[in-house]
Amino acid sequence: MVLGIFVGALLMFSNLTLICSVLFGEFEIRDYPKDGMDENNWAGEYAVEKSSLAFSIMCMFLTILYAGFAGMVYHYADDLLVENVADAREESLRPSDP
């Protein structure tokens, strides 16, 4: 059950980062110059647009990473559970420290 909750959380985070990636990639984000700044020489809008694109790419990378890890955990779930039971059995057979 714990493994299913973990895989479910990974898939939820994967979907969340996918939505963030689409939002930051598609919507136009603008930043306007403050009072006293020259609008002709102001490169702030380009910087915000570029950082939005970088954040979109990072979110897409995290989407792929989360979904891939969730897929691997789901694929190897039986092996992980068997290894966990074997580790618990081995740990219970060890003598405790005085």
Side-chain angles (χ1 to χ4, degrees), residues 70-86:
M72 284 177 41
V73 168
Y74 180 74
H75 185 305
Y76 295 110
D78 294 333
D79 297 335
L80 290 171
L81 292 174
V82 167
E83 185 177 344
N84 192 18
V85 168

Side-chain angles (χ1 to χ4, degrees), residues 9-80:
L10 282 174
L11 290 176
M12 283 178 38
F13 279 120
S14 174
N15 289 331
L16 179 69
T17 55
L18 178 65
I19 290 170
C20 288
S21 174
V22 170
L23 288 177
F24 280 103
E26 290 296 321
F27 290 117
E28 189 172 315
I29 298 174
R30 293 181 183 217
D31 192 17
Y32 296 101
K34 308 289 187 264
D35 292 333
M37 296 178 103
D38 186 16
E39 290 188 24
N40 296 331
N41 295 331
W42 191 66
E45 186 173 332
Y46 178 72
V48 169
E49 183 179 318
K50 198 155 177 94
S51 66
S52 175
L53 178 66
F55 191 69
S56 174
I57 291 170
M58 182 194 69
C59 284
M60 186 56 75
F61 174 74
L62 287 175
T63 298
I64 294 168
L65 191 70
Y66 284 144
F69 187 64
M72 284 177 41
V73 168
Y74 180 74
H75 185 305
Y76 295 110
D78 294 333
D79 297 335
L80 290 171

